[in-house]
Amino acid sequence: MSVRLGQIVEAMREHGGVLHGDAARMIARLAPIDSATPDSITFLSDPKLSAALETTEAGCVIVAPAMEAHALEKGLCCLVVPQPYVWWAYLSQWWRATHHPVPEYHIHPSAVVEEGAEVDPTAIIGPLCVVERGARIGAYTWLKSRVTVSAGCRIGVHCILHPGVVIGADGFGFAHEKGDWIKIEQLGAVRIGDHVEIGANTCIDRGAIEDTVIGDGVKLDNLIMIAHNVQVGERTAMAACTGIAGSAHIGAHCTIGGAVNIAGHLTIADGVHVSATSMVTHSLLKPGAYTGFFPIDDNATWEKNAATVRQLYKLRERIRSLERQLSTLTASK
């Protein structure tokens, strides 16, 4: 379904923007700048990529004020906004809502909602979802498909849980006795705040005794594992394949890169940013950016470096011994 460019601008007026071009132009799709066509709207947020304005065929380009003159010089129809990427995010929401509205059903016929579960009348429970007894689903929350919310777990308002999400499976708790593993029953639940989005096939385990807690505004990517009794502060975002061991406390407004591993029972302060594939083995108590991985190299060089790393403790002790000897020789003169 095509819409007039002026209709888009009007629908997004609360987010600002000045249009230079034909408001009657018809827009059929949102597209990347390098593959946009005359019936597409696109955006440019990084000035380093300004060369794309030379070749794009887009019907309209969303740009920042700093790129306005360049776009007009090229004869492009452009929409000038303070933050193109943020404006694009709001545009994508409007586009989905108008072109792909949410389902009309409240609870899909194939879903299972057990007796004793509470589902707000505005929530949407998708195909093959399971909401167990005692679980609570807040207003305007959407469980896409094959989502499981286990007994006693609570989901806040305006949340989105993508296909395959499992909330409240048992945490990994076993006591070792005489070569056998004795299961520790997981008696807590999971509490998820408001405006949380959880990616496909992500798992959040219930607490062993106390609840696992996900704060308001948290964004979790696909295939993330959050173990029992973890706490994640508000508006923290995590990329795919991150694994967080039990009882770790993650602060607010953090960003965790893809495939990060975070050990259990440690604390990460508010405002910490961890680079992708890092291994966090101790608490990070000050805000800032952290990286912890061994750089990739050709295999022969990597093996030599790894062998050296394994000898660092011995090398340190040899240096300390030499320093003591040097100190003794200096003092005897």
Side-chain angles (χ1 to χ4, degrees):
M1 179 181 70
S2 297
V3 296
R4 290 183 300 104
L5 182 56
Q7 181 182 347
I8 293 175
V9 175
E10 174 62 21
M12 300 288 290
R13 65 183 182 278
E14 67 178 292
H15 304 296
V18 177
L19 177 64
H20 297 284
D22 183 8
R25 180 186 291 272
M26 300 304 293
I27 299 297
R29 67 189 187 104
L30 279 58
I33 194 167
D34 56 351
S35 62
T37 53
D39 63 350
S40 304
I41 186 170
T42 188
F43 75 101
L44 179 69
S45 61
D46 187 349
K48 296 177 182 178
L49 303 178
S50 61
L53 294 176
E54 308 285 340
T55 57
T56 186
E57 298 180 4
C60 181
V61 183
I62 303 165
V63 297
M67 299 303 300
E68 178 179 358
H70 191 178
L72 293 175
E73 180 184 335
K74 297 302 174 186
L76 294 171
C77 173
C78 65
L79 181 62
V80 183
V81 303
Q83 299 183 74
Y85 197 47
V86 174
W87 208 94
W88 180 264
Y90 287 119
L91 172 60
S92 70
Q93 293 179 14
W94 177 83
W95 191 271
R96 177 177 286 278
T98 54
H99 290 71
H100 306 283
V102 297
E104 295 182 357
Y105 57 77
H106 168 45
I107 299 175
H108 192 274
S110 66
V112 176
V113 178
E114 291 187 355
E115 184 177 355
E118 298 180 26
V119 178
D120 189 273
T122 62
I124 298 173
I125 310 300
L128 303 175
C129 289
V130 176
V131 182
E132 294 184 354
R133 65 191 184 283
R136 288 164 46 188
I137 311 298
Y140 302 102
T141 283
W142 187 0
L143 277 54
K144 289 290 188 80
S145 65
R146 294 180 290 104
V147 173
T148 297
V149 180
S150 298
C153 296
R154 288 173 279 173
I155 315 294
V157 305
H158 290 282
C159 295
I160 300 174
L161 279 63
H162 289 277
V165 166
V166 176
I167 305 297
D170 275 2
F172 191 66
F174 298 89
H176 192 253
E177 181 188 38
K178 299 178 181 178
D180 202 359
W181 296 101
I182 312 303
K183 181 176 177 60
I184 300 171
E185 294 295 339
Q186 305 294 288
L187 304 177
V190 177
R191 286 184 283 128
I192 294 175
D194 302 334
H195 299 280
V196 172
E197 184 158 353
I198 303 175
N201 295 318
T202 284
C203 298
I204 303 176
D205 285 351
R206 64 174 58 248
I209 301 176
E210 301 293 334
D211 293 345
T212 303
V213 180
I214 309 297
D216 293 345
V218 167
K219 309 301 180 186
L220 303 177
D221 200 356
N222 304 330
L223 295 166
I224 288 174
M225 173 63 215
I226 296 181
H228 54 189
N229 299 106
V230 168
Q231 295 188 21
V232 179
E234 63 179 22
R235 291 168 179 80
T236 282
M238 298 183 191
C241 298
T242 288
I244 305 179
S247 299
H249 286 204
I250 315 298
H253 302 281
C254 297
T255 56
I256 310 298
V260 166
N261 292 320
I262 299 176
H265 298 274
L266 52 71
T267 298
I268 293 180
D270 297 348
V272 165
H273 309 285
V274 182
S275 299
T277 72
S278 294
M279 177 68 188
V280 183
T281 57
H282 60 84
S283 292
L284 305 175
L285 302 180
K286 295 181 180 180
Y290 294 83
T291 302
F293 56 88
F294 203 60
I296 194 169
D297 209 331
D298 68 88
N299 194 65
T301 302
W302 188 93
E303 287 181 345
K304 293 175 183 177
N305 289 333
T308 301
V309 168
R310 286 197 295 266
Q311 300 299 317
L312 285 180
Y313 177 79
K314 292 180 179 179
L315 290 171
R316 184 185 69 173
E317 293 305 305
R318 289 176 62 185
I319 291 171
R320 286 180 173 177
S321 175
L322 290 170
E323 287 176 339
R324 287 192 294 268
Q325 293 177 42
L326 179 60
S327 177
T328 300
L329 288 172
T330 301
S332 65
K333 290 183 179 180

